[in-house]
């Protein structure tokens, strides 16, 4: 994946101006695939400097796809900035080689840090409900403008200094297309089944309804500090179990209240047409009594769900490499996101094909680990075609096979009693396997390979 942020220069100390603002970039807050974010102060009033966040981007040629995506992100973010729960985009400064997006500064960091690093939502129904309702209002406001976010996750939700307010940000994958065929768009943990596209024969899906699925996964993150599955596909053992068990799977894996289970079961509906709406979801969240189990010791704190061999601060949900927290001076975020260079809905128009295709074959999950971790592109492509010629159907007339039918006597199998020491070892091995599967759904990070780090270093040296 292209990492433009790796070749950007160090902007620390740079002074930029926008109308009455005179911004000085003080320190680097984090970086993503396409840009770097700095903390800046407006010194137009020396007696009261105002903090801002400045997102620095590489300026692309006007005829390129990257330029089109940049302009689309800016336009959608500007349109949504009027909502009180969206990070405000104050303006854009264009230079010969770089773009600077002037944004509100959110000193509370992102929602991921609030969940994992600070345990802000553990057994706190009031805070969970308040923050989630604010997020719902932000998404509702975007949908009213015809904008679907398509990349909802805790890393794209920022907090105020005291954590009482949440703000939606990063419209890099947003679209105004009501229907989309951009499958695999976003982060795997938060993709809806129709967006993943592996089990629906690549049918175009409604983007706003897909956002609701991601909201459900974020709610699970806030309550439990973990994910319900790796990706919503039958090739994922966790999601396949949910399709078979339903509510009992959520109760068993997440240890949440019955009210929360009922609510999530209305969000995690495989058929988008039957999924809960934004209005219904808001009313249900308001009415719920508690998200946490009432019986003691059923809901362990977030930090106890993490592997004891890893520090809490190093744990991430998906596609991120983090050092420190979003609010600390040494904080740095390197988000590895998934952004299509071009897609059928870039111009917000799409033609629905007449022949959508036949339903996929049933899949039987095998093994303990998810087959969709680091999913390959083959899972999002149609392999129904074939280059080889068929010699015709196989029938008893074309390929007759004589099948003997021997007389098999009844077998009586007697299993010897397992020695106590072997039984103990088998039990410990099964328990370890269950713990490993359980830990795989904990909010965690995926580090970039060292080969990529060396490649980035070479680019920096050459630049």
């Amino acid at each position: 994946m292209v990492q433009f942020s790796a070749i950007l220069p160090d902007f620390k100390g740079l002074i930029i101006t926008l109308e009455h603002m005179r911004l000085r970039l003080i320190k680097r807050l984090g970086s993503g695939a396409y840009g770097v974010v700095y903390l800046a102060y407006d010194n137009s009033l020396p007696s009261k400097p105002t903090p801002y966040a400045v997102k620095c981007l590489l300026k692309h040629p006007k005829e390129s796809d990257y330029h089109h995506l940049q302009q689309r992100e800016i336009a959608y973010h500007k349109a949504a900035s009027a909502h009180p729960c969206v990070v405000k985009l104050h303006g854009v400064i264009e230079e010969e080689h770089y773009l600077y997006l002037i944004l509100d500064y959110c000193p509370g960091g992102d929602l991921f840090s609030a969940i994992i690093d600070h345990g802000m939502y553990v057994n706190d129904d009031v805070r969970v409900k308040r923050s989630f309702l604010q997020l719902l209002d932000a998404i509702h406001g975007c949908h009213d403008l015809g904008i679907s976010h398509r990349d909802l996750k805790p890393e794209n939700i920022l907090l105020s200094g005291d954590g009482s307010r949440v703000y939606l940000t990063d419209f890099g994958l947003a679209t105004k297309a009501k229907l989309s065929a951009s499958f695999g768009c976003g982060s795997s943990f938060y993709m809806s089944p129709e967006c993943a596209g592996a089990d629906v024969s690549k049918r175009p899906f409604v983007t706003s309804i897909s956002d609701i699925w991601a909201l459900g996964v974020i709610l699970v993150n806030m309550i439990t500090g973990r994910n319900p599955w790796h990706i919503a596909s039958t090739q994922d053992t966790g999601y396949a179990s949910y399709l078979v068990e339903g509510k009992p799977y959520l109760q068993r894996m997440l240890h949440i209240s019955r009210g929360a289970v009922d609510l999530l079961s209305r969000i995690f509906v495989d058929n988008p047409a039957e999924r809960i709406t934004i209005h219904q979801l808001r009313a249900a969240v308001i009415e719920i009594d508690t998200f946490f189990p009432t019986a003691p010791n059923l809901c362990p704190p977030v930090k106890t769900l993490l592997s004891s061999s890893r520090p809490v601060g190093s744990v991430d949900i998906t596609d991120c490499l983090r050092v420190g927290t979003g609010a600390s001076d040494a904080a740095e975020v390197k988000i590895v996101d998934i952004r299509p260079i071009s897609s059928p809905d870039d111009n917000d128009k799409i033609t629905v094909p007449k022949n959508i295709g036949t339903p996929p074959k049933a899949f039987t999950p095998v093994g303990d680990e998810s087959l969709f971790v680091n999913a390959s592109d083959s899972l999002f492509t149609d392999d129904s075609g074939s280059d080889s010629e068929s010699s015709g159907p196989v029938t008893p007339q074309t390929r007759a096979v004589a099948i003997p039918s021997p007389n098999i006597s009844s077998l009586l199998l007697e299993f010897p009693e397992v020695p106590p020491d072997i039984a103990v070892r088998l039990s410990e091995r099964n328990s370890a396997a269950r713990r490993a599967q359980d830990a795989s759904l904990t909010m965690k990070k995926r580090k970039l390979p060292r080969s990529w780090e060396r490649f980035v270093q070479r680019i920096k040296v050459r630049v």
Side-chain angles (χ1 to χ4, degrees):
M1 181 180 182
V2 179
Q3 292 276 335
F4 291 112
S5 60
I7 61 175
L8 289 173
D10 185 4
F11 293 101
K12 184 177 179 181
L14 179 69
I15 297 177
I16 54 178
T17 58
L18 175 66
E19 297 177 353
H20 61 282
M21 294 183 180
R22 189 174 185 273
L23 299 166
R24 183 182 183 89
L25 278 60
I26 303 299
K27 66 178 181 180
R28 177 169 168 158
L29 297 175
S31 63
Y34 292 86
V36 181
V37 180
Y38 285 83
L39 171 64
Y41 281 94
D42 177 18
N43 294 318
S44 57
L45 295 175
S47 59
K48 190 179 180 181
T50 305
Y52 290 92
V54 178
K55 186 174 182 179
C56 307
L57 304 169
L58 190 66
K59 188 175 181 180
H60 300 283
K62 291 186 177 180
E63 63 275 7
S64 67
D65 290 331
Y66 289 111
H67 174 79
H68 172 73
L69 292 175
Q70 273 185 351
Q71 296 305 310
R72 190 176 69 176
E73 175 184 358
I74 292 171
Y76 293 165
H77 199 155
K78 278 185 176 180
S81 288
H83 196 281
C85 293
V86 174
V87 174
K88 185 175 181 179
L89 175 60
H90 294 272
V92 179
I93 300 175
E94 291 193 29
E95 292 186 349
E96 182 179 0
H97 301 294
Y98 308 108
L99 293 177
Y100 306 97
L101 277 59
I102 315 302
L103 305 162
D104 279 339
Y105 172 58
C106 300
D110 61 26
L111 183 61
F112 172 86
S113 297
I115 295 172
I116 294 299
D117 297 334
H118 307 300
M120 187 176 292
Y121 297 96
V122 176
N123 295 323
D124 192 337
D125 287 299
V126 174
R127 191 181 289 270
V128 170
K129 184 177 293 189
R130 179 181 60 200
S131 297
F132 192 72
L133 287 175
Q134 291 174 10
L135 178 59
L136 278 179
D137 291 342
I139 298 302
H140 189 192
C142 291
H143 288 181
D144 284 346
L145 296 172
I147 301 172
S148 298
H149 192 277
R150 294 201 301 179
D151 195 21
L152 293 174
K153 56 184 178 181
E155 292 87 343
N156 290 338
I157 302 166
L158 304 180
L159 280 73
S160 60
D162 59 359
S164 63
R165 303 285 301 178
V166 299
Y167 305 94
L168 181 65
T169 188
D170 197 342
F171 288 76
L173 294 182
T175 181
K176 280 193 173 182
K178 294 183 178 180
L179 293 176
S180 174
S182 295
F183 303 103
C185 178
S187 300
S188 61
F189 284 116
Y190 304 90
M191 288 182 195
S192 63
E194 61 270 22
C195 179
D199 304 324
V200 292
S201 297
K202 302 298 175 62
R203 298 183 182 92
F205 59 92
V206 181
T207 54
S208 58
I209 298 179
S210 184
D211 278 350
I212 296 175
W213 183 282
L215 287 171
V217 181
I218 293 174
L219 181 58
V220 172
N221 296 159
M222 296 172 69
I223 302 171
T224 68
R226 56 182 301 150
N227 297 287
W229 39 71
H230 294 86
I231 194 168
S233 166
T234 54
Q235 300 195 39
D236 182 279
T237 54
Y239 184 67
S241 298
Y242 168 70
L243 292 179
V244 174
E245 300 179 37
K247 293 181 181 180
Y249 172 85
L250 299 176
Q251 187 76 59
R252 173 171 54 86
M253 292 296 294
L254 302 179
H255 307 293
I256 55 181
S257 69
R258 291 184 179 180
V261 169
D262 293 338
L263 174 61
L264 292 173
S265 65
R266 298 175 65 188
I267 299 175
F268 298 141
V269 178
D270 191 63
N271 184 357
E274 300 176 359
R275 197 169 298 157
I276 192 173
T277 65
I278 284 281
H279 296 284
Q280 295 170 341
L281 180 55
R282 194 178 199 284
V285 171
I286 292 175
E287 292 178 1
I288 199 168
D289 293 329
T290 179
F291 299 97
F292 304 95
T294 55
N297 301 325
L298 285 182
C299 184
V302 173
K303 294 184 180 181
T304 64
L305 297 174
L306 309 177
S307 173
S308 59
S309 61
R310 301 175 62 183
V312 173
S314 68
V315 178
D316 207 339
I317 300 175
T318 175
D319 299 336
C320 294
L321 176 61
R322 288 171 171 267
V323 179
T325 63
S328 65
D329 292 346
E332 177 135 346
V333 182
K334 295 186 178 179
I335 300 178
V336 183
D337 47 8
I338 306 170
R339 298 175 184 238
I341 301 306
S342 60
S343 62
D345 54 0
D346 278 349
N347 296 323
D348 298 332
K349 295 180 180 179
I350 187 168
T351 302
V352 180
K354 295 181 180 178
N355 299 324
I356 294 179
T358 58
K361 296 180 180 179
F363 174 82
T364 302
V366 179
D368 294 331
E369 290 296 324
S370 169
L371 302 180
F372 242 92
V373 178
N374 301 327
S376 63
D377 294 337
S378 63
L379 295 174
F380 298 103
T381 57
D382 186 3
D383 297 329
S384 58
S386 175
D387 296 331
S388 60
E389 293 291 336
S390 173
S391 58
V394 178
T395 65
Q397 289 74 24
T398 59
R399 296 188 182 181
V401 179
I403 302 177
S405 54
N407 184 16
I408 302 176
S409 58
S410 300
L411 298 178
L412 179 60
L413 301 180
E414 295 182 357
F415 295 94
E417 184 178 354
V418 180
D421 57 335
I422 296 180
V424 170
R425 288 199 297 268
L426 289 175
S427 177
E428 292 177 350
R429 180 181 300 176
N430 292 335
S431 299
R434 286 194 298 269
R435 287 195 299 270
Q437 182 181 6
D438 189 66
S440 69
L441 293 174
T442 303
M443 301 167 73
K444 57 188 177 182
K445 72 179 179 182
R446 185 176 67 197
K447 292 185 178 180
L448 294 174
R450 297 189 64 83
S451 59
W452 172 252
E453 295 176 354
R454 290 195 295 269
F455 176 71
V456 171
Q457 186 62 29
R458 291 174 185 172
I459 292 178
K460 289 183 177 180
V461 171
R462 291 180 182 178
V463 171

